[in-house]
Amino acid sequence: VVCALTQLRAGKGIETLIDATPSILERHPRLQVAIWGDGPELGSLRSRAYTAGVGDVVHFLGASPDPLAVLRGAALFVHPSLAEAFPYVILEAMSVGLPIVASDVGGIGEALINGESGVLVAPGQRQALTQALVDTLDDTDRRTSMGNAARRRFEQRFTLKMMLDRLTSVYSEVTPAAR
């Protein structure tokens, strides 16, 4: 199961994932793509999946009340967004030790180390996304290693306490001392 967890709206790149799915199926015929989320593009994305012949493989599962439980049920997390700031869902996937294939946009490259804790691809590039997903699905040891590295990186840099400590430090630097 490859999982995406996102709002279904323009710019999230789910169409790229749908377009990549037929080629991934050639190498991984048991593939299932679980897309969690809701939004204005749901109808058109569902139609796109059926038109591409993968309507029985790409599952639109709606919004999730428990994103971490959703992520724990996946073998691989994919985030094919065309633009982002710093998506928390990447940190959530890292926190549960999932290997990640994501577009190299916004702060995603800050969170993931390409080739170590995830694979970064150019946004909107179907062939690059296909190849990254196939390569990652092909190699169980690599998936395990990337997932472990993602969890370690999360624990070393992105826990709530660490992020609050860094934010407090920045505020301390820019706030003039009390007079």
Side-chain angles (χ1 to χ4, degrees):
V1 174
V2 172
C3 174
L5 181 64
T6 189
Q7 191 176 45
L8 301 179
R9 64 173 175 78
K12 290 299 186 174
I14 297 301
E15 65 280 355
T16 308
L17 175 59
I18 291 168
D19 294 348
T21 300
S23 297
I24 300 167
L25 279 168
E26 291 175 10
R27 288 283 296 272
H28 295 277
R30 294 179 50 217
L31 173 74
Q32 296 294 303
V33 179
I35 300 174
W36 289 88
D38 200 359
E41 298 293 317
L42 175 60
S44 66
L45 291 169
R46 185 175 277 137
S47 293
R48 189 179 194 118
Y50 279 99
T51 299
V54 294
D56 59 334
V57 172
V58 177
H59 308 280
F60 293 92
L61 302 169
S64 171
D66 188 355
L68 293 179
V70 164
L71 294 169
R72 285 185 189 102
L76 176 63
F77 180 71
V78 60
H79 194 73
S81 195
L82 304 179
E84 288 286 351
F86 193 95
Y88 287 119
V89 71
I90 293 291
L91 298 181
E92 290 169 330
M94 291 171 71
S95 78
V96 299
L98 268 180
I100 300 167
V101 173
S103 297
D104 191 7
V105 294
I108 296 174
E110 258 181 79
L112 298 176
I113 298 174
N114 190 31
E116 181 180 313
S117 56
V119 178
L120 298 173
V121 298
Q125 300 297 311
R126 181 192 53 81
Q127 187 56 41
L129 182 65
T130 300
Q131 193 63 56
L133 288 168
V134 166
D135 289 350
T136 305
L137 289 167
D138 280 350
D139 192 340
T140 303
D141 291 340
R142 181 175 185 224
R143 278 197 322 271
T144 300
S145 175
M146 282 192 335
N148 290 336
R151 178 176 293 174
R152 276 192 310 277
R153 185 155 173 83
F154 171 82
E155 291 169 352
Q156 293 167 352
R157 299 201 50 176
F158 297 107
T159 64
L160 179 60
K161 181 181 179 342
M162 290 175 178
M163 290 172 56
L164 289 173
D165 287 348
R166 284 197 302 271
L167 181 61
T168 301
S169 175
V170 168
Y171 281 141
S172 295
E173 287 178 26
V174 298
T175 304
R179 294 179 196 232

